Amino acid sequence: MTVESTEAGQPGRYLRLFDSGQRFGWTYRDPDSLRRPFGEPEPQREQVAVGYENRAEAARLDHADRRRSALKIGGVAAACFVLSYFVGAVLVIVGVVAVLIGLARVALASRRLSSAGADLSTHQGALEERFQSSWQMWHHRRYDHDSRQEQWVRGLDAWGALPVGPDTRRLDVFGGSQRGREGFLTVFGTSTLQERPLIVVDLTQALICRELSVLAEAADVPVDVQLLPSRMAESSIIGGLAPHDLVHALVEAFHGDDPEAGRAARAVDTRILTQLCDALGEHVSLARLSAGLRVLMGEADDTKCLSREERNRIADDLLNDKNKDQVRDSLFRLMSFVHPLEQLGTAREGRGPGYLTCFAIDFGAGSASTELLADLAVQSVMRRLSSFQESAPCVVVALGEQGLQRRHLERLAQVCERRGSQLVLMHPHLRDAAEQMIGGGTVAFLRLGNHQEANAAADFIGRGHSFVLHSLTDTEGRTVNTSVAKTIGSSVSRGSTYSESVTRGSNWGSSSSTSYQGGDNPFSSSSSTNSGGSYSETTGTSTSVTYSTNESTTQTTGDSDSTSLATGRQRVYEYVLEPTQLQALAEFSLLVVERQNGGSVLVHSVDCNPNLVLLDRVSMAPLPQFDPVPAAQFQAPQSAALPQHHPGVPQPPYVPTAGPTAPPQPYVPAPQQICPTAPHQAYAPGVRSAPPQQPHWPSQNPPQQTGGGWTQGPPPNWPGQQPGNHG
């Protein structure tokens, strides 16, 4: 049975779902987060050298002081002019001299003040001119950098596929709503069909495989959808099975609802059906088995499925009367199970295999026959995988509320692993057999509304050590201190020193001498007398007067800002993912758990909404990885000439007359194709839209398939073998 597409329009861009590469869904990355910041800091105004300001301030204070001194001198001169009428013209001369001296001192201070102010203004102007030039060129470089970054970011994809690992042989998906599981099956199934055949066993009674089958048929993929039990006559779940495989499949399906199914009961049922198949010969069908069981029970059979010889052989030779009495309960149970399945596969003739095969339990209330068909479909897939030598397909089992026994699921997993088939189990809940099987392969979680299931999932993901913020202290303060001190002092010291010294002295003396001079006159002689005196007197007087004046002014201004931000972190051991986060997942959010070496856990957040392909910035390949943003390194440009009015560049308060050289921009990746952002559309199963331009199928050769089973080699109308316009 093939699902007919009743929606108007062509599948259009939904065909992008069939691009090569198995995927879980898409991960989102904000392209704006990849912007490379402009690493050059904004230029700042330079502070004027302290010496210029000190000289200007000192000149101002000296000028003000000399002006005050000049005013005082003017007052003294005026007093001298008034007193000159009484004393004389000498005071007039004194007043004029004092005025001239005061004016000279003020003129000298004014010249110093003008010179210091001119030096300060010249230095400030040079610094401001240099700042304005640097500011203009900095904004030009930043604008050029931001423009290129904007063009590059607008060309990046926002959604990228999360691929299925090449070594992923089994995937367990837990939780989710019907629409969420349908979206995942559509995304995963369409990407799988590009690589291998796909078998879907839909036991949800919600037909979540419908959208996948409709899209596959629109893409010219051979589709075979078998609805059970409404169209079980067209089903092939028992077609091609050998009698012993059919017997084992039926027995396991009959006991599929009993977790404690004994080997004895299963062995008895197997023995009865095996002997019955041997009696029926080569032509074994469920209708003939049902007729044979009725013969064993002694009931009338009007179906004409058995000939008279077969009925007699079954009634007389298969079991004796004693054995019939011992196994009567088993015969009645087998007849009750087989009777509703008599029409299974009777109208299958003329139906070829499908590259996509779906066994789906259709809408309707649950019944014993419906549950039996669900178990039988799984047993049929298992037997086919074990017996046929075809290329290994991918098997997806979407379990319903009733679920399957753990031993059946584990046996299916073993068969798929032995054959190299990929197995996907979609569990609606994380409980019972599903909770016992978690961890057998890659694990993914859809929304788990039940708190116990969310706790079990969080426990599986595990806990880890991390440092979390536990305290935050933010302190901000500002202190402004201004003090002005002025000291004016004068000192006059006058001293008189009088010194007088008188030295008086007298020195009087006389001398007399007589000498005999011999010769002819013996009486000759000579005599002399000396007398003298001296007197001295010294008087001295000295006077000294000292006058001094001093004045000092001190001005101090202090302005300080202080900001402190202190954070405290504490090491904790807690859930990697909290249970409440699993309960609050969006309908199409899928968390894929990846175990890494060393025991760490990496959780990928995926969106499995098929309508994402309608957006323009969605890639069917993983998003490219970029290196961390390097520190900006600048060099001098070739030219510093800049237009004074560049579009989009904010203008400084003053237009510089010249500017320094500007560094070039750091490396920016080549811009990709610019894709405008399209609005996100809500997911609606089966809705199609036709875009103005359809993508072309990639030229890819699918794996060759051997004959038999579900596939007969690659379908001739496989997408990529005969590309055409699907739009």
Side-chain angles (χ1 to χ4, degrees), residues 654-683:
Y654 303 100
V655 179
T657 57
T661 58
Q665 298 300 316
Y667 170 75
V668 178
Q672 302 178 1
Q673 181 182 2
I674 298 177
C675 299
T677 303
H680 184 77
Q681 303 188 17
Y683 174 64

Side-chain angles (χ1 to χ4, degrees), residues 174-241:
F174 299 91
S177 62
Q178 292 182 1
R179 295 178 65 232
R181 284 180 284 168
E182 182 178 15
F184 169 76
L185 180 59
T186 300
V187 174
F188 179 82
T190 51
S191 62
T192 302
L193 286 172
Q194 186 67 262
E195 300 179 355
R196 62 176 70 188
L198 179 62
I199 304 171
V200 178
V201 183
D202 184 2
L203 308 180
T204 61
Q205 292 186 295
L207 295 182
I208 65 172
C209 64
R210 178 178 179 274
E211 185 177 53
L212 173 61
S213 62
V214 170
L215 285 175
E217 190 175 36
D220 297 333
V221 177
V223 178
D224 182 19
V225 178
Q226 304 176 22
L227 296 181
L228 304 173
S230 61
R231 296 191 178 185
M232 64 178 178
E234 303 174 2
S235 176
S236 64
I237 59 176
I238 62 172
L241 292 179

Side-chain angles (χ1 to χ4, degrees), residues 516-524:
Y516 174 74
Q517 298 180 354
D520 292 336
N521 188 6
F523 295 103
S524 62

Side-chain angles (χ1 to χ4, degrees), residues 614-630:
L614 302 180
L615 304 180
D616 292 329
R617 305 182 73 175
V618 178
S619 173
M620 296 296 107
L623 291 174
Q625 299 297 324
F626 298 98
D627 295 333
V629 179

Side-chain angles (χ1 to χ4, degrees), residues 46-53 120 123-124 127:
E46 298 182 27
Q47 297 294 330
V48 181
V50 179
Y52 290 96
E53 295 182 348
L120 179 60
H123 188 64
Q124 289 177 338
L127 293 179

